[in-house]
């Protein structure tokens, strides 16, 4: 009987364990590379309601045809109210102004009626007459002035007419409604309530607040064939007129006068 060594042979598969372990780590690494970092810092968000941003409006629309009036204050036939004014300078309408002839001591009125619209919380606009810089003045004895009315409320008392381009007659500011933290740009009160009439050079920097987005204005331009001496712009014997045959048959050409409304950002109580 032969002797056989039956001692147990123990096989240790450690290399396989390491390989499996390596394969698991490798697979895990691939997963990380494919999916990016699996770690994130805290974050939070919420949704807030938005709103609409709406543009305002600026417009000027003629509300009546231009009309011409003989408002010579020493005439008995001066009995009608000019345009939408307060009637303080009555006259009679001139149907064909090109056929009417002015004489020393006379006064002519040209009435422009328009509806101005301003809608914008920071909106201020200049009211002016375009074309005055192109006025052809051949009649040396004629002097020009203007008034402005809101309804029958006098805003600008009779004042010498500026003749430079873009010269203001007055300014308007849009209603401040909806301007929660903003302040009113008016410097001369609100039309129809706290506004006060102004004249002279002060009129050309006065800002009147609008009570609504649209208001009716009446701009009246006067041509006086005399030189006023006491500031009332009404003819009287002490005023100066031309003599002899000075200025006869000559013509002043007003051309195409246009009432204009233009936005500004350098005038108003709240602008720098």
């Amino acid at each position: 009987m032969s002797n056989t060594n039956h001692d147990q042979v123990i096989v240790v598969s450690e290399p396989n364990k390491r390989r499996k372990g390596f394969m698991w780590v490798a697979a895990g690494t691939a997963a990380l590379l494919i999916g990016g970092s699996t770690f994130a810092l805290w974050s939070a968000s919420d949704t807030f309601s938005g709103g609409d941003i709406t543009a305002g409006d600026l417009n000027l629309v003629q509300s009546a045809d231009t009309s011409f009036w003989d408002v010579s204050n020493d005439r008995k036939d001066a009995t009608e109210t000019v345009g939408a004014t307060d009637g303080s300078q009555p006259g009679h309408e001139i149907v064909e102004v090109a056929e009417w002839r002015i004489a020393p001591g006379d006064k002519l009125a040209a009435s422009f009626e328009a509806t101005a619209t301003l809608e914008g919380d920071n909106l201020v606009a200049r009211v002016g007459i375009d074309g005055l810089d192109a006025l052809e003045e051949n009649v040396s004895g004629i002097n020009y002035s203007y008034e402005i009315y809101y309804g029958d409320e006098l805003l600008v008392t009779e004042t010498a007419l500026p003749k430079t381009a873009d010269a203001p007659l007055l300014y308007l500011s849009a209603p401040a409604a909806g301007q929660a933290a903003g302040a009113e740009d008016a410097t001369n009160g609100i039309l129809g309530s706290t506004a006060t009439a102004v004249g002279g050079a002060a009129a050309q920097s006065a800002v009147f607040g609008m009570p609504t987005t649209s208001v009716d204005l009446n701009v009246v331009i006067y041509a006086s064939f005399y030189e006023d001496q006491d500031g009332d712009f009404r003819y009287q014997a002490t005023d100066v007129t031309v003599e002899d045959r000075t200025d006869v048959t000559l013509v002043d050409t007003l051309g195409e006068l246009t009432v204009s409304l233009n936005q500004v950002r350098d005038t108003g109580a709240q602008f720098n």
Side-chain angles (χ1 to χ4, degrees):
M1 182 175 182
S2 61
N3 293 328
T4 303
N5 187 356
H6 294 285
D7 291 337
Q8 290 182 334
V9 176
I10 299 173
V11 179
V12 179
S13 58
E14 182 65 19
N16 287 340
K17 287 184 181 181
R18 285 199 302 269
R19 187 178 299 112
K20 289 181 180 178
F22 175 77
M23 290 177 64
W24 178 87
V25 171
T29 302
L32 288 175
L33 291 174
I34 294 173
S37 174
T38 58
F39 301 99
L41 302 177
W42 282 356
S43 66
S45 65
D46 200 351
T47 301
F48 292 84
S49 59
D52 297 329
I53 299 176
T54 305
D57 190 15
L58 181 152
N59 200 12
L60 189 74
V61 179
Q62 183 178 2
S63 57
D65 292 336
T66 302
S67 58
F68 296 89
W69 305 76
D70 181 348
V71 293
S72 304
N73 59 277
D74 56 355
R75 295 282 300 176
K76 292 180 180 179
D77 56 1
T79 58
E80 302 173 61
T81 298
V82 174
T85 68
D86 61 0
S88 59
Q89 294 200 59
H92 65 79
E93 190 168 5
I94 301 170
V95 179
E96 291 291 340
V97 70
E99 298 177 1
W100 186 76
R101 298 294 182 266
I102 195 169
D106 283 347
K107 187 174 185 177
L108 172 73
S111 175
F112 303 87
E113 297 180 56
T115 299
T117 298
L118 291 181
E119 186 176 6
D121 290 332
N122 299 320
L123 187 56
V124 176
R126 178 185 67 247
V127 178
I129 298 285
D130 293 341
L132 289 174
D133 55 327
L135 174 64
E136 294 183 20
E137 296 183 83
N138 298 307
V139 185
S140 63
I142 289 183
N143 294 280
Y144 291 91
S145 54
Y146 77 99
E147 289 179 332
I148 298 182
Y149 290 83
Y150 164 64
D152 61 356
E153 177 185 349
L154 183 62
L155 300 180
V156 177
T157 60
E158 194 165 351
T159 296
L161 185 67
K163 298 174 188 175
T164 56
D166 300 324
L169 303 183
L170 59 68
Y171 293 86
L172 295 174
S173 66
Q179 191 167 305
E184 176 61 60
D185 274 298
T187 62
N188 219 68
I190 307 300
L191 297 178
S193 57
T194 58
T196 56
V198 64
Q204 291 153 31
S205 61
V207 182
F208 292 90
M210 296 169 57
T212 58
T213 55
S214 293
V215 297
D216 293 328
L217 298 177
N218 190 181
V219 179
V220 183
I221 294 179
Y222 297 104
S224 303
F225 203 175
Y226 53 88
E227 184 179 344
D228 180 60
Q229 296 297 297
D230 59 5
D232 68 351
F233 292 92
R234 272 57 165 180
Y235 175 73
Q236 51 190 316
T238 55
D239 290 333
V240 177
T241 64
V242 295
E243 298 176 348
D244 301 323
R245 300 188 68 251
T246 303
D247 293 339
V248 296
T249 72
L250 297 181
V251 178
D252 271 14
T253 303
L254 298 179
E256 293 295 328
L257 296 184
T258 305
V259 179
S260 62
L261 188 67
N262 295 282
Q263 182 186 2
V264 298
R265 295 191 70 88
D266 60 0
T267 304
Q270 304 306 319
F271 283 103
N272 296 323

